[in-house]
Amino acid sequence: RASFMNNQKPQKPTLSGQRFKTRKRDEKERFDPTQFQDCIIQGLTETGTDLEAVAKFLDASGAKLDYRRYAETLFDILVAGGMLAPGGTLADDMTRTNVCVFAAQEDLETMQAFAQVFNKLIRRYKYLEKGFEDEVKKLLLFLKGFSESERNKLAMLTGILLANGTLNASILNSLYNENLVKEGVSAAFAVKLFKSWINEKDINAVAVSLRKVNMDNRLMELFPANKQSVEHFSKYFTEAGLKELSEYVRNQQTIGARKELQKELQEQMSRGDPFKDIILYVKEEMKKNNISEQTVVAIIWSSVMSTVEWNKKEELVAEQAIKHLKQYSPLLAAFTTQGQSELTLLLKIQEYCYDNIHFMKAFQKIVVLFYKAEVLSEEPILKWYKDAHLAKGKSVFLEQMKKFVEWLKNAEEGNWLLSSQVE
């Protein structure tokens, strides 16, 4: 307002001395949130707690009042009943209304009704979208200034608005604020928020929203650094009745660990690290991240196959593959100690030979090589042949394997050297 006064030219005397005063009052109305707040609060007091009427009143007022400029004030009132001072307390000298989220009943149904009010308002005045997002980020930073019941209502409301797409999951960034995390406010708030979000949708929808804004791997940050473990997260959220969120985070963690393992493996292979070092590293990772041998053997197979530029000629590729795989068979053998792992490897080989057309004829040669190198044993091969194979290219591969399988069935124990027909 001061700048407005300074920019005025000296007032010339006029007959109607009122003119300047009116101008001043117009300015006040346009720039002063107090006046805006009074209008909104008066209107809400008249509509009372009938939220249908509240939505209608807000819709109509947008034509008369400057929502664009006073978005923050508007949302403060609808959530807290009046303008919020920094930190989240209500400004003392302000009039306030009980028609707001914080004064409502603490239950899901009431919060769903309030969510409708915000939805209608933002659908009607699209430009409020950004202001509302900023408001929610701010409210989350103010959580310590609110009572537990107020936090719970805000959490439920936020969950519902995330579910119906009024809010974007990036607002969760505010919950990673150090003070909120340290005092356990973030985790407690997240419990209520995710409960109402999953209640509206399901865990898959939640996962999609989180992934879009790269939040899918950050949920552990709701806890202080010394408690950022899958075990702690899982226990906390399972006890709070959110088993599906615990499992989701556990899976995310495993997927992350698997990607990391694959990346590291490929680097170790391209450097030509000794197999004993690679095996040691992989076994430690398995233990640390609870990764099964089946998963590991699949990762090793794809890593081994991706370290080579394969020949485009079918007749040459088989020879190249055998040479390459012979070299790596000790590494694969270290992780096929169970029949199930051997079967996994067989299925991976089948898939690879089917997806890479030059390899179609190499399948049997690879299996025989691995049999000789003690990566694969008789039983899993027979099981694969009988009923455990994939549908992909099965007629071709079963035909290729027919003679070898017959030989396996008839060969005497310990007859290692394969008869010439199998070669």
Side-chain angles (χ1 to χ4, degrees):
R1 226 161 43 242
S3 64
F4 167 77
M5 297 295 288
N6 298 344
N7 295 341
Q8 282 296 309
K9 289 191 177 120
Q11 194 71 10
K12 286 183 182 151
T14 54
L15 283 171
S16 85
Q18 281 305 306
R19 191 169 145 249
F20 184 58
K21 265 190 174 150
T22 343
R23 288 290 301 277
K24 197 169 164 187
R25 198 175 66 237
D26 289 349
E27 284 301 322
K28 181 177 159 83
E29 197 166 300
R30 277 171 48 211
F31 284 105
D32 184 9
T34 331
Q35 197 114 5
F36 176 85
Q37 169 166 278
D38 293 343
C39 294
I40 294 287
I41 286 182
Q42 191 187 339
L44 290 175
T45 310
E46 285 163 18
T47 61
T49 50
D50 170 11
L51 293 182
E52 288 282 327
V54 169
K56 282 199 180 97
F57 157 71
L58 291 170
D59 192 318
S61 301
K64 302 192 284 277
L65 297 170
D66 193 347
Y67 280 180
R68 200 182 286 273
R69 177 167 290 152
Y70 297 120
E72 188 179 358
T73 309
L74 174 65
F75 292 129
D76 273 1
I77 297 167
L78 293 176
V79 172
M83 266 194 279
L84 289 170
T89 49
L90 278 174
D92 289 338
D93 50 345
M94 295 289 182
T95 37
R96 48 185 305 182
T97 171
N98 283 330
V99 186
C100 65
V101 172
F102 282 178
Q105 266 180 289
E106 190 186 320
D107 61 58
L108 212 49
E109 220 173 316
T110 310
M111 290 307 115
Q112 281 162 335
F114 262 101
Q116 276 310 309
V117 173
F118 287 106
N119 280 344
K120 284 177 186 162
L121 178 61
I122 289 162
R123 263 207 304 271
R124 175 80 171 77
Y125 298 103
K126 265 312 250 187
Y127 59 79
L128 284 175
E129 229 169 33
K130 177 82 179 74
F132 186 53
E133 206 156 283
D134 293 342
E135 173 74 10
V136 175
K137 285 178 186 167
K138 176 191 83 173
L139 291 170
L140 297 188
L141 290 173
F142 285 175
L143 285 178
K144 278 162 63 181
F146 306 144
S147 72
E148 194 184 341
S149 171
E150 288 168 347
R151 280 181 218 158
N152 290 346
K153 290 176 227 179
L154 183 59
M156 286 191 253
L157 177 74
T158 309
I160 297 162
L161 293 168
L162 281 163
N164 63 32
T166 304
L167 283 174
N168 178 302
S170 61
I171 54 126
L172 297 174
N173 259 318
S174 294
L175 289 180
Y176 300 136
N177 171 282
E178 204 181 334
N179 292 323
L180 296 177
V181 168
K182 203 167 67 193
E183 297 189 24
V185 175
S186 296
F189 187 86
V191 166
K192 293 276 181 198
L193 178 145
F194 279 108
K195 270 195 176 156
S196 77
W197 191 352
I198 293 169
N199 178 59
E200 295 287 310
K201 292 277 201 183
D202 60 24
I203 189 69
N204 299 330
V206 171
V208 170
S209 302
L210 291 172
R211 204 162 41 241
K212 270 187 194 151
V213 294
N214 296 323
M215 286 275 172
D216 45 341
N217 288 316
R218 289 194 60 194
L219 293 177
M220 304 254 259
E221 292 171 43
L222 291 165
F223 297 104
N226 60 344
K227 290 183 177 163
Q228 283 178 22
S229 70
V230 177
E231 276 50 55
H232 181 78
F233 187 97
S234 196
K235 187 171 184 295
Y236 185 92
F237 281 93
T238 304
E239 281 171 6
L242 277 165
K243 197 168 181 329
E244 53 277 71
L245 191 69
S246 304
E247 282 167 6
Y248 167 71
V249 165
R250 200 177 274 282
N251 284 340
Q252 284 303 105
Q253 211 45 23
T254 319
I255 292 166
R258 289 201 299 247
K259 281 185 183 152
E260 206 43 51
L261 175 63
Q262 180 141 14
K263 202 172 120 220
E264 181 56 33
L265 250 177
Q266 283 167 345
E267 280 172 19
Q268 290 175 346
M269 286 177 191
S270 60
R271 282 199 306 262
D273 291 6
F275 286 161
K276 64 174 197 319
D277 297 351
I278 298 182
I279 291 167
L280 199 68
Y281 163 74
V282 173
K283 286 191 167 160
E284 277 170 9
E285 287 299 299
M286 281 169 76
K287 209 157 87 185
K288 194 168 81 190
N289 295 300
N290 203 7
I291 306 177
S292 70
E293 192 180 76
Q294 285 90 299
T295 305
V296 164
V297 84
I299 291 174
I300 293 177
W301 166 260
S302 68
S303 301
V304 165
M305 295 310 273
S306 68
T307 54
V308 180
E309 268 303 316
W310 294 110
N311 204 302
K312 293 281 179 282
K313 293 202 171 75
E314 194 172 30
E315 59 279 11
L316 296 174
V317 87
E319 203 178 310
Q320 188 190 6
I322 294 304
K323 207 167 146 185
H324 179 66
L325 291 170
K326 197 172 197 163
Q327 191 191 331
Y328 279 99
S329 47
L331 183 58
L332 283 154
F335 299 98
T336 49
T337 65
Q338 306 156 8
Q340 200 47 54
S341 314
E342 293 185 41
L343 198 53
T344 301
L345 179 57
L346 272 161
L347 295 174
K348 285 288 162 198
I349 301 168
Q350 181 185 349
E351 208 167 22
Y352 190 90
C353 292
Y354 178 79
D355 292 340
N356 298 278
I357 197 83
H358 311 313
F359 277 83
M360 278 302 267
K361 290 184 178 160
F363 179 75
Q364 184 256 16
K365 291 189 173 75
I366 295 173
V367 176
V368 171
L369 165 78
F370 282 163
Y371 176 76
K372 285 181 178 174
E374 295 191 36
V375 175
L376 295 173
S377 52
E378 185 176 329
E379 241 174 85
I381 296 174
L382 295 175
K383 184 166 174 45
W384 172 87
Y385 187 81
K386 185 166 171 260
D387 55 18
H389 48 258
L390 300 169
K392 291 179 168 184
K394 72 170 189 182
S395 53
V396 178
F397 298 137
L398 290 176
E399 183 53 44
Q400 272 182 42
M401 290 292 288
K402 205 164 139 193
K403 283 183 174 168
F404 180 54
V405 166
E406 273 166 22
W407 179 85
L408 276 180
K409 285 179 181 165
N410 302 325
E412 296 161 33
E413 278 300 312
N415 182 357
W416 250 93
L417 295 162
L418 307 186
S419 54
S420 54
Q421 60 162 10
V422 168
E423 283 293 350

